[in-house]
Amino acid sequence: MKLFTSEHTYNHPWEKITQAMWLKYPNPILPNVLAADVLKRKVTNDGRLVSHRILSTEWLASQWIMKLFGLTSRCYVTEHTEVDPRKKVMKVLSRNVTYNSLCQVEEVATYQQHPKDENLTLVTQEARIVVYGISGLFENLVAGTFPDNVAKGRQAMEYVAASIASTAADAELS
C-alpha cells in the first residue's frame, strides 16, 4: 500500500473554489478527463449538497504497460461530493471503478475556508493506493503519477477560477 498526502492554499475564497470544482471538466489542462456525468444529486434537509458523478478518463500509461497487463486506456472513476455551505467545507471522495480487482485508488480531497483568512481556501488531499498481486512495479507506477496529477488538478482549478473571475468582470461591464 502507498499513501500520498498534500496540502495547498488557493488564493481564492471557498465559494469560488467550490464553484470551480463543478466547472473543472472539460479542461485543457486535464485533457485525459473526457466527461463528468452526474448520476445523482440532492440537497439534504440541513442544506448540504450531495452529488455522485462518474468521470470518464483516458489513462495515459505507457503502451508496454497496457499490453503487459492487458489493459485498455479508458477508465472510470466515481466521485462522491458533499458540500456544507454553512461550515464552508467540501469533501470529495474519488475511487477507481476500472481495474479495481488489480488496483484500488482512493482519494479524499477536503476544501475548506482557510482558518486564518476567509479569502483563501485550504485543500488537503490524501490518496491510498493498494495493488493486488504484483505490487512493487505497478504500485510505484500508480503512486508516481500522483504528484503530477495533483499539480495539474491545482492548475485546472486556477484556470477555472480565473475564468469565473473574468466572466464576472465581463458581466459587470455589460
Side-chain angles (χ1 to χ4, degrees), residues 44-81:
T44 64
N45 291 338
D46 62 351
R48 290 175 295 117
L49 172 65
V50 179
S51 178
H52 181 201
R53 301 193 302 178
I54 189 154
L55 308 179
S56 174
T57 69
E58 287 290 322
W59 193 34
L60 305 175
S62 301
Q63 288 294 7
W64 71 269
I65 292 171
M66 303 299 277
K67 287 181 183 179
L68 177 68
F69 294 106
L71 306 174
T72 60
S73 61
R74 180 66 53 97
C75 298
Y76 297 94
V77 175
T78 62
E79 179 186 86
H80 294 271
T81 304

Side-chain angles (χ1 to χ4, degrees), residues 35-144:
D37 296 307
V38 176
L39 300 175
K40 185 177 181 180
R41 186 172 284 164
K42 69 176 182 175
V43 176
T44 64
N45 291 338
D46 62 351
R48 290 175 295 117
L49 172 65
V50 179
S51 178
H52 181 201
R53 301 193 302 178
I54 189 154
L55 308 179
S56 174
T57 69
E58 287 290 322
W59 193 34
L60 305 175
S62 301
Q63 288 294 7
W64 71 269
I65 292 171
M66 303 299 277
K67 287 181 183 179
L68 177 68
F69 294 106
L71 306 174
T72 60
S73 61
R74 180 66 53 97
C75 298
Y76 297 94
V77 175
T78 62
E79 179 186 86
H80 294 271
T81 304
E82 189 171 311
V83 181
D84 187 333
R86 290 187 185 110
K87 294 180 181 176
K88 295 194 177 187
V89 174
M90 175 174 63
K91 190 171 191 176
V92 183
L93 168 64
S94 303
R95 289 187 179 119
N96 64 306
V97 175
T98 310
Y99 310 127
N100 64 3
S101 62
L102 176 63
C103 169
Q104 288 187 340
V105 179
E106 181 178 287
E107 179 183 4
V108 177
T110 304
Y111 300 81
Q112 58 189 355
Q113 181 175 292
H114 196 283
K116 295 180 182 175
D117 187 339
E118 66 184 28
N119 293 311
L120 303 176
T121 303
L122 178 65
V123 60
T124 56
Q125 292 172 276
E126 299 177 4
R128 184 177 61 91
I129 302 158
V130 178
V131 176
Y132 304 104
I134 46 135
S135 60
L137 172 67
F138 195 70
E139 200 169 64
N140 289 334
L141 172 75
V142 174

